[in-house]
């Protein structure tokens, strides 16, 4: 709502000025004042007649639309010839009682009536001057009154009309008239702004309360009402911002708060509102996070949890830790279920024992196989290809031990392959060769002598390993299996990409594994013909599991100790190999794959990409296995 232009009072003042007496005229002659009777008609003295005031209307004509403006019309006062003295006394009494102009019994109408009888009446002139000064002071005081301004300005305007009638050329009167007009315009703008606020037209779009209050301040910079109006407009915008925040629409909340910040300069209320909105944001994010975490605890909760994350990301500021926590938990659930990377655990068995210790391998991708220029690589290790695991998996920290395998055999009455046929391949210390020996099975060590409990189990075929995995799955209610070839190489590399699991250098780091070292010596003093120069691990034959340092992902003996069965069938190259890390398996295949170097391998067979074909019935002192488990 916008108010009209100049106030009607200005037009009234201009019209009054055109009808006023010239400066030489002692006093104006009111148009409707009744003249005293001529002296020749002696009338008995009568009390002064005091009539009610009758406001007059002034009409402005012309080509423009007609406008009317109110002016003051003095109440008619009749003074008889013998009533002048009494009229003077009445006027002085009215002045003393601060009754100045409202009725015929007030000071100014009586003084005007006396001057109408005698323009040179000095007492009337002096009394009228006092009344005028009194009226100027009263009007000024009204304009400065902070409360009930509308009533005060209206009364001051009425006094200004009286003064314009009495003394139209007095500069102080003109100044008062201007102040009244200004105050009227300020009030009109403030009232328009308040009406807009009540109607919900705050004015952020340039039409409403804010422009009106600013117009008022442009006229009167210290207008408390206009300043309060702007504060109220600012509060209305802040309320909109907070309502939007409570509805989780923080984009709209930011927009409304930005509009509120434009209303007043450096208002502390904006900072307070920002803190409240940020508090609402934080509470909303905590609520979404907690709901998402509860979703993740349910079997089908991943999708609703992701929806909560989307809602949180839409309203969060960049880098919010609460959202990061929910994202991390969803990421973990997506790739690891209820586990976390590098977590170590073992499943309980139904017979009261524990399964092998497992560690969660991080999800991710790697370049599998050997590069075209890799020294010692075979065609079977090519072409190198990218494999990605969208979900992590758990892998046994060590090779399956003799003790682990004994629990299975005793619980299931199993008869592994070497036990059934009565022989396996061992290392013969006398000849220095690997030979078939009778009476050797899973209970035997690399040389056919009884194996210790924490030695890696050997002399088992790939099917023996798969049967153990099936038994362990039944015992735990979890899915255990042999690792795929891709899983094994990925876990062995543990984030590296060199020729060897430890990098491109030909000599292993100290204590990194059980390899064929030039410093190793057999019980009878034999040394390796082809070995890592300068390396010695102190073992001739497999070492107990976890004797050496784990790799970066916490896995022991991936590149040494024993080579290990994997789930894949043998393929002469990686052409058309799976890119998702699953085992490349053809039902009924006889040739299987072993991965990882062993205690009796040549150095080039310890490379990360090395692979070899083995018949599925093979049992040997150089081959063992470990399992993986789905998570």
């Amino acid at each position: 709502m916008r108010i009209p232009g100049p106030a009607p009072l200005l037009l009234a003042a201009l019209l009054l000025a055109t009808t006023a007496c010239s400066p030489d005229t002692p006093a104006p002659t009111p148009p409707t004042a009744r003249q005293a009777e001529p002296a020749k008609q002696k009338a008995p003295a009568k009390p002064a007649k005091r009539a009610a005031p009758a406001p007059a209307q002034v009409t402005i004509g012309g080509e423009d639309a007609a406008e009317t403006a109110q002016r003051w019309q003095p109440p008619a006062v009749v003074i008889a010839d013998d009533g002048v003295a009494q009229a003077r006394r009445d006027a002085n009494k009215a002045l003393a009682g601060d009754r100045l102009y409202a009725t015929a019994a007030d000071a100014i109408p009586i003084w005007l009536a006396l001057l109408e009888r005698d323009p040179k009446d000095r007492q009337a002139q002096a009394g009228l001057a006092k009344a005028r000064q009194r009226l100027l002071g009263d009007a000024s005081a009204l304009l400065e009154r902070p409360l009930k301004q509308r009533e005060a300005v209206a009364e001051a305007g009425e006094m200004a009309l009286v003064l314009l009638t009495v003394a139209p050329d007095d500069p102080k009167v003109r100044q008062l008239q201007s102040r009244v007009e200004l105050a009227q315009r300020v009030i009109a703008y403030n009232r328009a702004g308040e009406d807009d606020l009540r109607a919900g037209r705050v004015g952020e779009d340039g039409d409403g309360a804010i422009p009106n209050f600013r117009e008022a301040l442009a006229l009167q910079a210290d207008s408390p009402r206009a300043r309060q109006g702007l504060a109220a407009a600012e509060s209305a915008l802040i309320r909109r911002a907070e309502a939007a925040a409570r509805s989780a629409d923080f984009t709209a909340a930011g927009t409304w708060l930005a509009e509120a910040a434009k209303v007043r300069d450096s208002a502390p209320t904006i900072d307070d509102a920002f803190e409240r909105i940020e508090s609402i944001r934080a509470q909303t994010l905590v609520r979404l996070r907690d709901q998402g975490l509860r979703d993740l605890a349910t079997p089908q909760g991943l999708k609703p949890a992701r929806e909560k994350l989307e809602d949180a990301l839409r309203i969060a500021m960049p880098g919010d830790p609460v959202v990061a926590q929910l994202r991390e938990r969803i990421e973990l659930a997506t790739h690891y279920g209820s586990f976390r990377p590098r977590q170590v655990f073992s499943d309980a068995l139904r017979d009261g024992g524990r399964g092998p210790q497992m560690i969660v391998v991080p999800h991710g991708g790697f370049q599998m196989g050997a590069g075209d220029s890799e020294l010692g690589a075979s065609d079977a290790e090519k072409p190198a290809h990218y494999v990605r695991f969208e979900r992590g998996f758990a892998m046994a920290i060590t090779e399956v031990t003799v003790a682990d395998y004994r629990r299975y055999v005793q619980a299931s009455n199993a008869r592994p392959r070497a036990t059934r046929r009565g022989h396996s391949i061992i290392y013969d210390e006398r000849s220095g060769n690997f030979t078939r020996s009778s009476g050797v099975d899973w209970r035997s060590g690399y040389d056919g002598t009884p194996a210790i409990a924490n030695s890696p189990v050997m002399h088992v075929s790939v099917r023996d390993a798969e049967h153990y995995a099936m038994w362990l799955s039944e015992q735990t209610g979890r899915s255990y299996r042999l690792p795929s070839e891709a899983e094994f190489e990925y876990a062995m590399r543990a984030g590296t990409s060199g020729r060897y699991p430890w990098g491109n250098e030909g000599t292993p780091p100290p204590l990194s594994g059980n390899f064929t070292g030039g410093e190793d010596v057999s019980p009878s003093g034999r040394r390796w013909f082809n070995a890592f120069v300068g390396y010695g691990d102190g073992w001739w034959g497999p070492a107990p599991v976890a004797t050496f340092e784990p790799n970066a992902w916490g896995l022991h003996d991936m590149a040494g100790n024993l080579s290990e069965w994997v789930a894949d069938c043998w393929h002469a190259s990686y052409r058309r190999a799976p890119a998702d890390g699953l085992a490349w398996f053809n039902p009924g295949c006889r040739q299987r794959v072993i991965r990882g170097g062993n205690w009796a391998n040549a150095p080039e067979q310890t490379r990360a990409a090395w692979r070899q074909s083995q018949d599925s019935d093979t049992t040997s002192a150089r081959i063992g296995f470990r399992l993986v488990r789905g998570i």
Side-chain angles (χ1 to χ4, degrees), residues 252-327:
T255 299
W256 288 123
L257 193 59
E259 290 297 330
K262 299 176 185 177
V263 176
R264 299 187 299 166
D265 293 335
S266 303
T269 50
I270 300 299
D271 292 336
D272 294 341
F274 179 79
E275 290 182 4
R276 290 195 298 273
I277 289 173
E278 287 307 300
S279 176
I280 294 171
R281 189 199 304 270
Q283 293 169 9
T284 304
L285 291 175
V286 168
R287 175 174 52 82
L288 289 170
R289 180 203 60 190
D290 292 346
Q291 290 174 348
L293 294 180
R294 285 195 294 270
D295 289 337
L296 290 177
T298 63
Q300 305 297 325
L302 190 56
K303 181 179 179 180
R306 284 174 173 161
E307 292 172 351
K308 304 296 189 308
L309 177 60
E310 290 176 3
D311 292 341
L313 287 171
R314 188 168 55 251
I315 66 175
M317 301 297 286
D320 187 277
V322 173
V323 178
Q325 182 182 9
L326 179 58
R327 180 195 281 120

Side-chain angles (χ1 to χ4, degrees), residues 196-257:
D196 284 332
L197 277 182
R198 283 189 287 270
R201 297 184 296 268
V202 180
E204 73 283 354
D205 56 355
D207 184 19
I210 294 172
N212 276 314
F213 291 130
R214 284 180 174 156
E215 291 282 4
L217 286 172
L219 294 171
Q220 184 181 344
D222 59 347
S223 170
R225 189 172 173 184
R227 293 186 180 280
Q228 291 171 1
L230 284 181
E234 177 189 273
S235 296
L237 293 173
I238 289 174
R239 286 194 296 274
R240 292 184 186 179
E242 292 177 349
R246 285 189 289 272
S247 300
D249 188 353
F250 288 91
T251 300
T255 299
W256 288 123
L257 193 59

Side-chain angles (χ1 to χ4, degrees), residues 404-596:
D404 293 330
Y405 203 75
R406 177 179 288 114
R407 184 181 294 114
Y408 150 67
V409 172
Q410 292 175 347
S412 63
N413 295 317
R415 297 189 73 246
R417 180 63 173 160
T419 303
R420 293 197 309 273
R421 68 187 178 191
H423 63 79
S424 184
I425 304 296
I426 66 166
Y427 174 75
D428 179 29
E429 177 68 27
R430 288 176 298 176
S431 65
N433 295 319
F434 283 89
T435 63
R436 188 171 73 178
S437 179
S438 299
V440 175
D441 66 2
W442 62 271
R443 292 165 289 194
S444 307
Y446 78 101
D447 57 359
T449 60
I452 61 175
N454 65 340
S455 172
V457 69
M458 58 197 86
H459 306 299
V460 290
S461 70
V462 69
R463 290 189 176 88
D464 294 334
E466 290 171 338
H467 290 156
Y468 172 77
M470 292 172 59
W471 172 81
L472 192 60
S473 298
E474 292 171 357
Q475 282 286 309
T476 61
R478 304 296 180 181
S479 178
Y480 284 87
R481 57 179 173 79
L482 288 175
S484 71
E485 191 175 358
E487 287 171 333
F488 193 95
E489 184 175 334
Y490 176 66
M492 178 171 56
R493 289 184 180 273
T496 66
S497 59
R499 185 180 180 215
Y500 297 99
W502 56 83
N504 289 313
E505 295 297 327
T507 301
L511 299 177
S512 58
N514 184 5
F515 312 119
T516 53
E519 303 301 316
D520 293 335
V521 182
S522 76
S524 63
R526 294 181 182 277
R527 293 182 181 272
W528 298 112
F529 173 73
N530 185 12
F532 289 107
V533 177
Y535 183 78
D537 51 53
W539 289 87
W540 190 275
V545 298
T547 297
F548 299 95
E549 295 294 328
N551 69 7
W553 287 353
L555 296 160
H556 292 271
D557 302 320
M558 292 294 292
N561 222 27
L562 292 180
S563 297
E564 300 179 27
W565 291 111
V566 294
D568 300 63
C569 293
W570 175 258
H571 295 84
S573 76
Y574 284 136
R575 291 182 178 85
R576 298 185 300 278
D580 56 5
L582 294 178
W584 196 2
F585 186 81
N586 308 105
C589 70
R590 289 282 305 178
Q591 295 300 111
R592 302 293 284 271
V593 180
I594 60 172
R595 293 299 301 259

